[in-house]
Amino acid sequence: MGPEPAAARAVPGRAAPRWIRRLLLGTVLMAVIIVGGTAFRVWQVARVDGDRPVDAVVVLGAAQYAGEPSPVLAARLKHALALYRDGLAPRIVTVGGKQVGDLYTEAEAGRRYLTARGVPATAIDMVDEGTDTLGSLKSVAARAGQEGWSSALVVSDPWHSLRARTMARDAGLDAWTSPTRSGPVVQTRETQARYIFRETGALLYYRLTHASAETENTGLG
């Protein structure tokens, strides 16, 4: 009797691990493509100014201290003030609630900053609700519906722009972004890389869950 053919000696199911490896490799490659593509879009939108005439300039909140804006919030307010003075919108909407124990909301701190620089109180609309970007933008959209306006330039930090714009449009606003070009978030390449990484994860989380990912002490929640 001759030697047993190789096919006959093959162990049943031996090819299965090869398919598992291919599946795992394909999954990893897909994840790399999705994460890399999202990071590129975060970087790309951060570099774009969507400046145009709109109904309102919306300043997303960040930390405030006894009514004084933090450096992050002050950079956003300074940029919004420039847009208002350029005549791109008849109103500025300041946004953000307060932490436990605070005397002022982020929206109030924003209004104080703007009125001290000559913006009429009648041109400032406070939306002092929301503790993260998603909640704040939903409140802004509700206020817009009540007051009969719909288009907005959303002011935040560059790396936050894509997620903020996505959330604003999902909330029903005709939104574009006008990112700040100053402040702590844009000072160094290391800081920029850290925020791009953080925003990539936060945006992917939002797209999967339609919930906001908290990013502590940054105003980027």
Side-chain angles (χ1 to χ4, degrees):
M1 188 172 180
E4 186 178 7
R9 294 197 305 269
V11 179
R14 189 167 182 175
R18 183 181 304 154
W19 285 107
I20 292 174
R21 288 196 297 271
R22 289 178 178 174
L23 178 61
L24 290 174
L25 179 60
T27 301
V28 170
L29 287 174
M30 184 62 68
V32 169
I33 291 170
I34 292 172
V35 173
T38 302
F40 175 77
R41 285 290 292 153
V42 169
W43 174 84
Q44 185 181 48
V45 173
R47 297 169 62 85
V48 174
D49 291 314
D51 297 358
R52 67 197 65 203
V54 290
D55 297 324
V57 174
V58 177
V59 188
L60 293 183
Q64 58 80 33
Y65 307 108
E68 292 297 321
S70 65
V72 171
L73 181 54
R76 297 177 187 181
L77 290 163
K78 180 180 178 181
H79 186 65
L81 179 59
L83 297 173
Y84 172 79
R85 286 175 172 169
D86 286 343
L88 293 183
R91 64 172 63 83
I92 301 175
V93 181
T94 59
V95 175
K98 62 182 178 180
Q99 303 297 321
V100 176
D102 284 350
L103 296 177
Y104 296 91
T105 64
E106 294 168 359
E108 288 174 316
R111 182 179 65 175
R112 286 162 55 93
Y113 177 99
L114 293 168
T115 55
R117 287 156 180 80
V119 179
T122 54
I124 303 170
D125 195 354
M126 286 200 315
V127 178
D128 51 3
E129 304 169 18
T131 57
D132 57 32
T133 303
L134 182 59
S136 294
L137 286 171
K138 285 182 176 179
S139 296
V140 170
R143 180 70 61 84
Q146 294 167 3
E147 297 185 356
W149 57 270
S150 61
S151 62
L153 272 176
V154 179
V155 174
S156 189
D157 307 310
W159 328 113
H160 191 209
S161 292
L162 178 57
R163 185 159 61 98
R165 187 182 73 182
T166 301
M167 289 178 170
R169 289 178 177 178
D170 286 351
L173 293 170
D174 296 326
W176 295 267
T177 51
S178 186
T180 60
R181 302 299 176 194
S182 62
V185 177
V186 296
Q187 285 182 350
T188 67
R189 290 189 182 276
E190 291 78 12
T191 301
Q192 294 173 24
R194 178 161 57 90
Y195 278 105
I196 290 173
F197 177 79
R198 176 177 290 180
E199 276 299 307
T200 298
L203 180 57
L204 289 171
Y205 180 82
Y206 172 72
R207 285 175 171 167
L208 285 171
T209 66
H210 288 281
S212 185
E214 294 292 341
T215 51
E216 187 176 353
N217 297 326
T218 66
L220 302 181

